[in-house]
Every structure is written in C-alpha cells, then in structure tokens.
Amino acid sequence: MASAETAVSHRDLANAIRFLGIDAVEKAKSGHPGMVMGMADLATVLFTRHLRFDPKAPHWPDRDRFVLSNGHGSMLLYALLHLTGYEQATLDELKRFRQFGARTAGHPEYGHLEGVETTTGPLGQGLATAVGMALAERKLAAEFGADLVDHRTWVFVGDGCLMEGISQEAISFAGHYGLSKLIVVHDNNHITIDGSTSLSTSDNMRARFAASGWETLEVDGHDPEAIDAAFTLARKLGEQLGKPVFISARTHIGYGSPGKQDSEGSHGAPLGAAEIEKTRAALGWPYAPFEVPEAIRAVWLKAGERGVAVHAGWNNRLAAAGAPVRDEFLRRVGGHLPADLEARVQEGLRALVATPADIATRAASQRALELLTVAIPELLGGSADLSHSVLTKTKVQATMTREDFTGRHINYGVREFGMAAIMNGLALHGGYLPYGGTFMVFSDYSRPAIRLGALMGAQVVHVLTHDSIGLGEDGPTHQPVEHLAALRAIPGLRVYRPADVVEALESWYDALTRKGPSAFVASRQAVPQVRRDPATAVQPFRGAYVLREADGARDITLLATGTEVSLAISVAEALAGEGIRAAVVSMPCWERFDEQDEAYRAAVLGTAPRLAIEAASPFGWTRYVAREDDVVGVRGFGLSAPAGELYRHFGLTVEAIVPKARALAAR
C-alpha cells in the first residue's frame, strides 16, 4: 500500500476532485463544473497540507474554518468532504447532487452536511461571513488563550464575490481590525457569466486589498509547489504583520477541457458527454463516472487523518485547563445560556413593573441589555456607526479594538450589510451571541444577510430603531413604512416590536432563548409603560396577549404593536365612555403568536370585529383582521414634520380612530 500511495501524484488527487465535480454536474444536468476544475489544485494543496480539520469530529471548536464564498462551485466542497472521510458526504450523496432531499444542495447549505460551515451562493456574503468567523477566533483567543483557540479561516472567492459591494465592507473591516488568521484565496480566472471580466471591471485586486490593510500575494493556481509556498508564507506573514492575507491565484476556469477551458461555457452548465470524454483523455483520467481508484482514495483519506493527532493534543490542553475555564468554554461554544438567566430576567421584570418608566422602546431595549450583558458574557453588541442613537452599548461593554479583542461592543462603521453578515459568521462560529443596531429603514441594506441568516438559523439579533413616522423631522427617507411587512415576510425571522420596557425585556429574553435570528424593532419617541400590574409582571411569552379585556362581551378587539399599543388603550377607554366594550391585544411578535395552539389564539383574538393599529404599511394584517380597510396604518411614505403632527396627519389619533372602531363594532 505504501508504494501505491507514493505513486499517487498531486495531479491524481486534484483530478479526483475535478471529475467527481464533472460527473455530478453531468448526472444532475445542472451545476457549475468550471470553478471546480479551476480551483482543484488550490483545494488539494489546502486540504492535504495546510487545513487543520478532523472529519471524525466535524464540530471540533478549534478546527480551521473553510468557506467557499463562490458557492456555485459547491461540488468542489462536496468532493473534498467525501474524499477526506466526512461520514455524511457519501458517494451516493454526490450522485444525488441537486436532487430533492439530498445533502448536496445546489449551493452549500449550513446544517445539511457536516463540513459546510456556512450557506453560500449569494456572492460576497461568504467572504463577509468568514470575516465574522475570523473575528470570533480572535476574540475567543483573547478570552481563553491560544492553547484553546488558535485556528485560521480560509476563504475561496471568485470574481463575482469581489465585485459585490459587501466585499468592500468586509475587506475594509477585516483590514482595520487586523484579522491575522484570515486568508482569502481569489480564483482569478478572468471569467464571469457574461464572458471576460474585462467587460465590466478593471480593478487591481492586490492594490485594493493592500489599500484596506491586507498583505497580498500572487501565485500560479495550478502549480502545487508554488501554491504550497504561498500558503505557508501567508500563514507566516499574517501572524508577523498582524494582517489578513489575500492571495491572487491565476487559474483557468474549466481547466483541462479542450473545448471549454477559459470560457464562460464551462461556468454554469454541464460540459456534455462528448466534452467530458475529451477532458478525461486530456487530463489522463481513464475512469468511469464517479470512480476514484483505491490508491488515490487512500491518500485522500490519509490527508483527512492529519488532524486526528492535532485534535487529540487540543483535547489534552482542554482537560488541563481546569474545570472553571473548561466548563465555561464548552458552555459558550456549545451555545448554552447561563443556568441562572431565567431567574435574573424574572427579577428584572418585577423591578420594571415596580418602578414604571415612560421611555422610548430603544431606551427600553438598552435597559434590557444592561441586565442581559451582565448575565451573559457572550452577548456581543455593536452598531453601524449609530451607538448613541440605537443604544446598543451598555455599561459593562468596553469597545473592541485591534489591540484588545476582549471588548464586547464593536464599531462596525457605516457597513449595515457587512455588519449583518459578520454577525452571521460570529454566530455560526460559536462562542458568541451577536447583536447589532442600525436605523430600521437601513434594514434594506442588511436584508440579504438577514435573509441568509434566517435560512441558516443563525442566532443573531438585529436591533432596528427609529421604527416609524414617529421619528419625525428626518422625513420619509428615514421613516420606515413597508419595512415591518418586509421583515415579517422572511421565513424563520422573528420580528419583535415591544410596547414598553417590560415587553422589551420579555422580547430580548425570548430572542436569546430560541434558536434562529430576530429583529428587535424599537422607537425613537417615548411611550407610556402599559404593563404596571405586579400580578402580570412575569408571564409566559406567547407573542400576543390580552392587555386590556372588555367589561363584558367584546364589541370590538383592538390589535396593536409597539408605540401604538398605548394609543389602542386610549381608544378603548374612549369607546368605553360610549358604552362600546373594547379589548386591547398587544402583539409584540406575530411569529411567536402564530406558533401558539389554536385555542389560545382564538381566545386572544376573540369573535368580535377586529381593528388593527400600527404606524406602518397595513400589508400583512389581513391574517388577523377581515380586510385591509380594518387597519389604521400608513398608506404611503411619511413626511418631514414633528411626530405628533404626522400622527394626526395619518389618522393615528384617538379622535380619528374612534369613529372607525365605532362603525366596525356596529357592523
């Protein structure tokens, strides 16, 4: 066996990747073979000589992270996982590429297949998510030491990744903070879907990265020894210089295909049977589809075993760390909250009811965070250059700097999209519960990363303040109208819009104790505290509840969220003066309410006519009211004026709503 392994060349190992990719795409009649063929040499050197991983322990906390940002070339990753011995990456799964129920989805999807660190495909987001992973490594190393945390994040990117605007946000952030364990490898093949990259870009990528504080290298992406030397130098320079490293690897898309190399024709379609046979001959691979000779398999599996001893050494260091450090580290990376958290939150709720405060819900959020950041050391805040407006920073949170990664509040700069994607990476890496704030209207900038986080179930909280026309004079450019509906439309995203300081703490606690992402929506303007009864200070969070029941059988039910809950109470009181019995339902989180059993939902909503009140687009409310006309909202963009004048203009006042409610109750 030893002599057979010795006879296996780098070319053989790389061709195993190429042809597994070619064959899977051909069988599926769908996929992207060209990138797989072009980056196979780079991937072979990385996985056989540099990447630190253990296929038998895919969740080992101190493994290197590998992110395929150019996720359309997913078969490159699937082939690597299969060849190195990941249990779930079977040959049958490769043969089921892009088929219903397969782990081998068209683009890599987090949670479907062990070894896939993040979902990629929307170009540029993989790079930005990887920046978050590299940041998590630096921060955990600063907290727990290099004996427990000392790994790299390797990223493959394509030309499309670097054209997307989010790439600059990520590159600038990583360079500024000196993420020295981050290495990005560019598939510099000069081809995009439309043809040559010269059609649309002429950037000097090395100069671009250097301008953002990176060290840069260049290499022939098909020379294994040169690649090995470049990867070795990148590891060394990153640590010596305290910089991330960018490697421009000149490659050929569709490498080895006589008719499609260096052509967009190999990018997004199968090569075709005839071209595949020519490619087999050109590359010296005379094997049947999906066949990899045992000698080549043996070398690949041995490469997968390189990390076993390294992992064992890490386990020994973890055991020697002592129980307090070991237990806290494992709790953090395992995603377990502190055991006393529930009791501390309940104590906090009782205190809030005992000392009412009429404050903006952004300030209510900060009060909740003051409690939570003390109780949860992994709760990691930040904002997109709006810390004093979105109120994400608490007294116990020092600012993180490149000299001191222990700080628990991050200045992301004016990079909303980048912030959201970086937080996804922090969450996926493990060890942190990230949250970050911006104005709600700028969730449009963040939305692609919010959506991708929801697809992955990444536990991130997006703090979105200045949530309505209530922000006033800044005008319609900054006044969200359609944003609540747009966020609620994202599957898997919980949207919280609390009415006061009590609901704010309840919402934060719910967001942190349930897996998946959340949006915490908060106001600029102050609101009355609506929860003041000590008997209801602590109650199960069900997304919606009867805040004020009618005196007798209901004539109408008023539904509201956030700042409009107190308005709904005033409307109910005015109606009571007319003998109309109105209940008020506060609905801080539709998604959580919809999860409740039918009996609870029916009891809360009641059988009387329902009127919804929310300073936002009426879109979506018809799941709870009979028709869109039964919503008092904002139909159109806002205006630049004081908040009170805007509420009057849009009919969000007691005087304007009572007649609507009266007419609806009489129907």
Side-chain angles (χ1 to χ4, degrees):
M1 177 60 73
S3 60
E5 288 184 14
T6 303
V8 173
S9 66
H10 164 86
R11 183 185 177 96
D12 294 328
L13 298 174
N15 280 342
I17 297 172
R18 288 190 177 100
F19 284 97
L20 285 173
I22 289 170
D23 294 338
V25 170
E26 184 67 21
K27 187 174 189 297
K29 301 302 179 188
S30 174
H32 301 75
M35 177 277 214
V36 182
M37 300 163 72
M39 295 201 81
D41 291 307
L42 291 155
T44 297
V45 173
L46 177 60
F47 272 71
T48 60
R49 308 189 199 183
H50 293 272
L51 194 72
R52 187 168 78 164
F53 66 109
D54 182 355
K56 304 305 179 188
H59 304 292
W60 168 33
D62 203 32
R63 68 192 181 279
D64 282 357
R65 274 34 173 206
F66 173 69
V67 173
L68 191 73
S69 186
N70 42 352
H72 54 272
S74 55
M75 270 308 306
L76 178 82
L77 177 55
Y78 300 152
L80 287 162
L81 298 179
H82 169 68
L83 291 167
T84 54
Y86 281 78
E87 183 179 359
Q88 293 181 348
T90 64
L91 189 59
D92 284 341
E93 284 292 343
L94 269 59
K95 291 178 179 179
R96 297 176 62 218
F97 177 54
R98 288 183 165 232
Q99 304 309 298
F100 182 81
R103 295 183 184 274
T104 47
H107 293 80
E109 292 189 33
Y110 177 78
H112 285 217
L113 179 65
E114 288 179 338
V116 174
E117 301 285 3
T118 181
T119 298
T120 57
L123 295 176
Q125 284 206 56
L127 170 58
T129 303
V131 168
M133 294 178 181
L135 176 60
E137 189 276 340
R138 290 290 75 202
K139 286 188 61 57
L140 282 173
E143 286 192 64
F144 291 96
D147 280 350
L148 296 185
V149 186
D150 186 18
H151 57 266
R152 289 181 173 78
T153 302
W154 298 81
V155 194
F156 281 6
V157 301
D159 291 302
C161 293
L162 299 183
M163 290 185 196
E164 291 286 357
I166 189 176
S167 69
Q168 187 56 39
E169 296 185 28
I171 292 163
S172 176
F173 180 94
H176 175 75
Y177 284 104
L179 301 183
S180 57
K181 295 297 187 73
L182 175 63
I183 300 174
V184 171
V185 182
H186 175 206
D187 181 25
N188 185 14
N189 60 31
H190 295 187
I191 295 293
T192 61
I193 293 175
D194 282 348
S196 170
T197 53
S198 64
L199 291 170
S200 57
T201 185
S202 52
D203 294 352
N204 181 328
M205 289 300 175
R206 289 189 68 184
R208 178 185 167 197
F209 275 79
S212 291
W214 292 57
E215 186 63 23
T216 73
L217 303 171
E218 194 165 343
V219 70
D220 178 347
H222 300 294
D223 180 338
E225 299 313 314
I227 294 168
D228 182 41
F231 286 175
T232 300
L233 182 59
R235 293 165 60 180
K236 180 180 178 182
L237 289 176
E239 297 198 35
Q240 283 184 344
L241 303 176
K243 294 181 176 183
V245 179
F246 170 74
I247 303 173
S248 176
R250 180 66 177 100
T251 59
H252 297 277
I253 192 171
Y255 180 85
S257 169
K260 296 191 175 183
Q261 178 174 313
D262 293 326
S263 164
E264 67 271 18
S266 68
H267 170 80
L271 296 183
E275 186 65 20
I276 290 173
E277 289 311 307
K278 293 177 185 177
T279 305
R280 290 190 197 281
L283 291 177
W285 189 262
Y287 308 111
F290 295 101
E291 180 183 350
V292 178
E294 286 304 314
I296 297 174
R297 280 192 175 279
V299 175
W300 266 115
L301 288 172
K302 192 170 184 179
E305 294 168 356
R306 288 184 311 110
V308 173
V310 180
H311 184 192
W314 181 86
N315 282 333
N316 291 336
R317 294 194 299 277
L318 179 66
V325 172
R326 180 175 64 249
D327 292 348
E328 178 64 3
F329 178 79
L330 292 176
R331 181 191 70 77
R332 293 268 298 270
V333 299
H336 305 296
L337 291 167
D340 64 346
L341 180 60
E342 182 177 12
R344 296 176 78 162
V345 168
Q346 290 181 354
E347 180 183 352
L349 289 168
R350 293 187 184 96
L352 292 171
V353 170
T355 56
D358 297 345
I359 58 176
T361 54
R362 60 173 175 158
S365 169
Q366 187 178 46
R367 285 200 180 186
L369 287 170
E370 292 289 359
L371 184 156
L372 294 167
T373 52
V374 170
I376 310 171
E378 62 268 33
L379 196 54
L380 176 64
S383 84
D385 197 47
L386 288 168
S387 301
H388 300 296
S389 294
V390 296
L391 304 182
T392 49
K393 193 171 188 290
T394 69
K395 296 181 180 69
V396 300
Q397 290 178 315
T399 298
M400 187 192 80
T401 67
R402 66 182 296 159
E403 292 78 28
D404 183 2
F405 281 102
T406 62
R408 292 172 57 199
H409 194 270
I410 300 169
N411 292 108
Y412 286 100
V414 188
R415 305 183 183 103
E416 292 88 357
F417 191 0
M419 175 177 72
I422 288 167
M423 289 195 297
N424 284 341
L426 285 161
L428 294 175
H429 180 282
Y432 292 100
L433 287 172
Y435 68 89
T438 187
F439 290 164
M440 188 178 180
V441 75
F442 300 140
S443 64
D444 283 343
Y445 291 153
S446 308
R447 185 180 176 84
I450 296 174
R451 181 184 187 273
L452 202 64
L455 183 62
M456 296 186 286
Q459 194 158 10
V460 173
V461 181
H462 303 272
V463 180
L464 306 172
T465 72
H466 297 60
D467 67 350
S468 75
I469 57 170
L471 69 87
E473 292 85 349
D474 274 345
T477 59
H478 284 55
Q479 292 166 0
V481 174
E482 74 280 18
H483 297 74
L484 267 173
L487 290 166
R488 287 168 177 158
I490 298 176
L493 178 70
R494 295 184 302 277
V495 181
Y496 299 89
R497 189 170 187 248
D500 67 1
V501 68
V502 177
E503 283 191 6
L505 180 52
E506 288 178 328
S507 295
W508 264 108
Y509 179 64
D510 194 69
L512 296 176
T513 54
R514 306 185 71 80
K515 298 302 181 185
S518 305
F520 187 99
V521 177
S523 71
R524 177 180 184 265
Q525 75 273 30
V527 291
Q529 182 165 325
V530 297
R531 289 271 294 281
R532 294 170 179 259
D533 182 357
T536 61
V538 177
Q539 60 186 23
F541 187 85
R542 294 182 171 181
Y545 63 99
V546 179
L547 177 61
R548 179 192 187 279
E549 188 54 275
D551 185 13
R554 297 184 194 178
D555 294 317
I556 189 169
T557 299
L558 305 176
L559 312 177
T561 73
T563 49
E564 286 68 66
V565 172
S566 57
L567 174 59
I569 292 173
S570 296
V571 171
E573 291 170 349
L575 290 170
E578 299 182 12
I580 299 172
R581 295 167 296 194
V584 175
V585 172
S586 178
M587 304 187 72
C589 184
W590 290 12
E591 295 78 17
R592 290 286 284 119
F593 180 61
D594 290 346
E595 293 172 2
Q596 306 307 309
D597 61 72
E598 185 176 355
Y600 178 78
R601 287 184 283 118
V604 169
L605 295 174
T607 57
R610 295 189 284 270
L611 182 70
I613 307 169
E614 187 173 64
S617 167
F619 189 84
W621 271 105
T622 49
R623 76 172 74 177
Y624 305 119
V625 300
R627 55 183 186 162
E628 201 164 278
D629 284 347
D630 297 339
V631 183
V632 179
V634 179
R635 290 168 167 81
F637 293 116
L639 298 164
S640 179
E645 291 183 29
L646 292 174
Y647 268 68
R648 286 191 293 276
H649 174 78
F650 286 102
L652 287 157
T653 63
V654 173
E655 295 75 17
I657 297 172
V658 165
K660 293 178 182 291
R662 184 190 304 124
L664 186 58
R667 262 207 327 245

